[in-house]
Amino acid sequence: MQNHVLDYLNDTVKKVPDKTAFANEKDAISFRQLYDRHRSIASFLAGKGIYKEPVVVFMNKHPNTIVAFFGVIAAGDFYVPIDEEMPRVRIDLILDNLKPRAIICDEKTKAIAETFSFDGEIYLYDEMIGTACNEIRLQEIHDLAIDTDPIYVVFTSGSTGVPKGVVACHRSVLDYIEQLSETLEFNENTVFGNQTPLYFDACLKELYPTLKFGATTYLIPKSLFMFPIKLVEFLNEHRINTICWVVSALTMISAFGAFEKVKPEYLHTIAFGSEVFPIKQFKIWRSVLPQAKFTNLYGPTEGTGMCCYYKVDRDFAPDEAIPIGRPFKNTEILLLNEKNERAGKGEAGEICIRGTSVTLGYYNNPGKTAEVFVQNPLNTAYPELIYRTGDIGKYNERGELMFVSRKDYQIKHMGHRIELGEIEVNVNMMPRIQLSGCIYDNEKGKIVLYYVGDMEAGELTKALKEKLPRYMIPNYVKKLDRMPLTPNGKIDRVYLKQSYQNNTEK
């Protein structure tokens, strides 16, 4: 039984040493190169006495970045990815939380790193991979490793504006990869097309299955997600057959007519998550790829990525939502009501995760950890932590789990409880609408709707009056040329709220 994520690589390099492991549009590395270089990085860190510590990896999105991740793990440390896309204030807060002794950079990021306020050392990737491998020390480190040792810290947004570092260990990642791989049927012929930035946990879906099966992952250039036709052409050029993308990346292709010019020739496995997939857009994808397998994934970073799945096996009406389905094996979903009891049939409750996939908590943040990593209220006999997601769900008549909303995405407006997501669903159903995002102005009590599409604001409002009760009609409707997205491809609601505030303050 494996207790170390790099056991995957140790096995695979013997089987397919010359096969491409990770590549982008220009560069590729084989499993043998990946193995040798990550051990050089580990030997370098071990030689510096850096052990069981956070090591920041500050590099551009490149196969070399992944080598650095694995090198940090092999040294008995845990990697913390940051990126120049991040606001400088956020980076400063992360470094202050970690207080790392080492940052690994490439030639392009070194100059920026030198401006950071931290007391550690900056090391260049290209110099580190020239280090002679210390086989004896690396074996000692591997032998001492246990499956609850951390392997990464990924920082998520905090409600107070201070990012929270989620700590994941070997055990939770191994469990996640085993369950995900079985569910999505990855194998040695899988060719992944990675969409998410490497500083998000979502890239786990490609990184570790690639090691497990001797598969191949292509890191798709971020710029292509602005050009849908070129993006599909990239998928075809590299014979990419499996993608695990955020919903907005998929809808960007279908909503802007890319399939009228080019279709993905090799795609047979499409997994999606992060947001509700508008049925109108999903139907386009399914009509273009009728033989492909589509799977809706759900789960938070604190649950090591995804914890629930639904394999699409039927058609959906325009006003329906795709279920998030059922938990992976070795995971239980507890749906708890406001009394901390199991929600009744058809009753909404907070989605809580129980099982190995629950991460260790937040780095250097016991207060925030204690708020959401809590004792299972259904078990008073012995200590058992669960994670409270803050998401509301309920079971449908088929027994499938449905995502309802975020706890903080439900508003009280004109005396009514409203799910902003319900407004978005109705907007997205309209034929000439491509995407929409809803926010709420708490001070003025106004529902604010932003959208991209071929309709004027007045026309859209009139159409909504035929679909929604009066109290759910947006008070402010604004057409955009392009919907702002976060770096991992979700609708940037913080930006929308700031934009609205700036416009109303003028």
Side-chain angles (χ1 to χ4, degrees), residues 297-309:
L297 297 175
Y298 162 84
T301 300
E302 290 85 348
T304 320
M306 300 300 180
C307 61
C308 289
Y309 70 95

Side-chain angles (χ1 to χ4, degrees), residues 217-498:
T217 291
Y218 282 92
L219 305 179
I220 302 174
K222 180 185 175 184
S223 59
L224 289 186
F225 286 89
M226 305 301 292
F227 302 98
I229 293 173
K230 290 182 179 180
L231 174 56
V232 177
E233 288 173 345
F234 184 93
L235 299 180
N236 289 340
E237 178 186 353
H238 298 287
R239 296 174 177 257
I240 290 168
N241 56 36
T242 302
I243 57 175
C244 306
W245 290 1
V246 297
V247 167
S248 54
L250 294 169
T251 57
M252 191 270 300
I253 292 175
S254 55
F256 291 92
F259 289 144
E260 296 171 11
K261 301 285 178 63
V262 60
K263 296 178 181 179
E265 297 174 20
Y266 303 96
L267 272 187
H268 56 58
T269 300
I270 298 105
F272 50 92
S274 79
E275 295 180 298
V276 176
F277 204 149
I279 294 298
K280 181 179 66 180
Q281 300 301 330
F282 175 72
K283 284 179 177 289
I284 296 173
W285 270 90
R286 210 171 180 201
S287 67
V288 170
L289 297 170
Q291 304 305 316
K293 295 174 293 184
F294 290 86
T295 304
N296 189 16
L297 297 175
Y298 162 84
T301 300
E302 290 85 348
T304 320
M306 300 300 180
C307 61
C308 289
Y309 70 95
Y310 169 73
K311 294 184 177 183
V312 179
D313 60 359
R314 63 181 187 269
D315 291 325
F316 291 89
D319 59 345
E320 284 187 283
I322 300 173
I324 55 178
R326 55 180 295 172
F328 288 129
K329 289 179 184 176
N330 204 37
T331 297
E332 183 182 10
I333 295 298
L334 305 177
L335 209 59
L336 300 180
N337 61 23
E338 293 180 356
K339 296 179 181 178
N340 268 342
E341 300 167 342
R342 285 189 188 271
K345 189 175 181 179
E347 180 187 2
E350 183 176 4
I351 298 172
C352 301
I353 306 172
R354 171 180 173 267
T356 302
S357 62
V358 174
T359 52
L360 300 177
Y362 300 124
Y363 192 79
N364 259 345
N365 199 337
K368 285 294 180 185
T369 299
E371 287 179 15
V372 289
F373 292 86
V374 302
Q375 172 66 25
N376 179 1
L378 305 181
N379 171 18
T380 58
Y382 56 86
E384 181 187 39
L385 289 184
I386 63 171
Y387 172 67
R388 304 194 73 120
T389 67
D391 289 337
I392 305 300
K394 67 179 180 180
Y395 288 97
N396 63 15
E397 64 281 356
R398 296 170 180 259
E400 299 159 338
L401 185 59
M402 305 293 298
F403 174 83
V404 175
S405 71
R406 282 288 301 167
K407 255 185 174 180
D408 53 12
Y409 205 39
Q410 186 183 75
I411 64 167
K412 190 80 174 285
H413 180 67
M414 296 174 64
H416 300 274
R417 289 200 179 278
I418 297 171
E419 304 290 350
L420 293 177
E422 184 179 350
I423 299 173
E424 291 178 4
V425 166
N426 279 276
V427 174
N428 291 335
M429 281 168 52
M430 296 183 188
R432 290 152 56 198
I433 298 296
Q434 291 158 352
L435 199 58
S436 69
C438 225
I439 60 172
Y440 190 64
D441 181 345
N442 292 292
E443 288 186 14
K444 298 179 180 176
K446 290 187 176 182
I447 299 172
V448 179
L449 173 68
Y450 287 94
Y451 71 97
V452 177
D454 184 27
M455 286 181 85
E456 294 307 316
E459 185 183 4
L460 174 56
T461 301
K462 184 178 179 182
L464 282 176
K465 288 178 179 176
E466 298 177 7
K467 293 174 172 285
L468 297 171
R470 182 177 57 84
Y471 59 83
M472 290 180 70
I473 301 300
N475 308 101
Y476 177 91
V477 180
K478 176 75 172 177
K479 180 179 179 180
L480 300 175
D481 293 328
R482 182 181 297 161
M483 185 66 67
L485 302 175
T486 62
N488 67 332
K490 296 182 182 180
I491 293 173
D492 193 339
R493 300 180 200 280
V494 173
Y495 179 90
L496 290 178
K497 187 163 275 194
Q498 290 172 345

Side-chain angles (χ1 to χ4, degrees), residues 41-61:
I41 287 174
S43 299
F44 180 96
L45 292 170
K48 297 290 183 182
I50 298 170
Y51 179 57
K52 291 190 178 295
E53 299 179 35
V55 175
V56 172
V57 178
F58 179 48
M59 298 169 64
N60 284 295
K61 187 176 182 178

Side-chain angles (χ1 to χ4, degrees), residues 35-171:
Y35 182 83
D36 291 343
R37 292 173 190 175
H38 98 276
R39 290 178 72 78
S40 289
I41 287 174
S43 299
F44 180 96
L45 292 170
K48 297 290 183 182
I50 298 170
Y51 179 57
K52 291 190 178 295
E53 299 179 35
V55 175
V56 172
V57 178
F58 179 48
M59 298 169 64
N60 284 295
K61 187 176 182 178
H62 190 278
N64 292 343
T65 311
I66 300 167
V67 177
F69 291 169
F70 298 153
V72 171
I73 297 172
D77 299 304
F78 41 101
Y79 65 88
V80 187
I82 63 173
D83 191 275
E84 59 185 333
E85 286 183 351
M86 293 179 175
R88 179 57 182 268
V89 172
R90 182 179 177 83
I91 292 175
D92 288 341
L93 288 168
I94 289 172
L95 294 178
D96 184 60
N97 177 266
L98 294 169
K99 296 180 172 53
R101 289 202 293 145
I103 295 181
I104 301 175
C105 291
D106 55 34
E107 291 288 353
K108 293 180 180 177
T109 58
K110 183 173 182 287
I112 302 171
E114 288 172 343
T115 67
F116 293 162
S117 298
F118 89 112
D119 296 328
E121 297 291 330
I122 296 169
Y123 300 116
L124 267 177
Y125 170 89
D126 286 340
E127 294 177 3
M128 297 174 77
I129 60 172
T131 305
C133 182
N134 187 338
E135 298 285 354
I136 295 174
R137 178 58 184 144
L138 294 194
Q139 189 61 48
E140 289 174 348
I141 291 170
H142 190 275
D143 291 345
L144 289 169
I146 60 176
D147 65 1
T148 51
D149 286 338
I151 63 170
Y152 68 75
V153 178
V154 169
F155 279 81
T156 65
S157 297
S159 58
T160 61
V162 179
K164 298 173 295 188
V166 179
V167 187
C169 64
H170 290 276
R171 184 170 66 184

